[in-house]
Amino acid sequence: MGGFFVLAGAGLLLYVVLTVSYMDKKMSKQERDIEEMKSLLKVVIKEQHSKESTGKE
């Protein structure tokens, strides 16, 4: 019966480690996506600003 608890504990630990690893990868991808979106927004804002200052649409 003790062996079952050891196996169950090891399985639970493995599950937690893999879940945390997966979430960490997902978070870093989201951070990269956010940085990319920020840079795209900066470009759009600069274009809008230059269009407004020259009077073009």
Side-chain angles (χ1 to χ4, degrees), residues 23-38:
M23 291 296 183
D24 186 47
K25 287 178 185 175
K26 228 178 156 169
M27 289 277 292
S28 56
K29 183 187 181 319
Q30 282 183 340
E31 288 172 2
R32 286 193 308 272
D33 289 347
I34 288 170
E35 291 303 317
E36 183 180 345
M37 188 61 66
K38 281 182 185 177

Side-chain angles (χ1 to χ4, degrees), residues 2-45:
F4 171 75
F5 288 116
V6 170
L7 285 176
L12 184 61
L13 180 64
L14 183 63
Y15 172 76
V16 169
V17 168
L18 291 176
T19 302
V20 168
S21 173
Y22 172 74
M23 291 296 183
D24 186 47
K25 287 178 185 175
K26 228 178 156 169
M27 289 277 292
S28 56
K29 183 187 181 319
Q30 282 183 340
E31 288 172 2
R32 286 193 308 272
D33 289 347
I34 288 170
E35 291 303 317
E36 183 180 345
M37 188 61 66
K38 281 182 185 177
S39 61
L40 288 173
L41 280 172
K42 286 179 185 177
V43 170
V44 169
I45 289 169

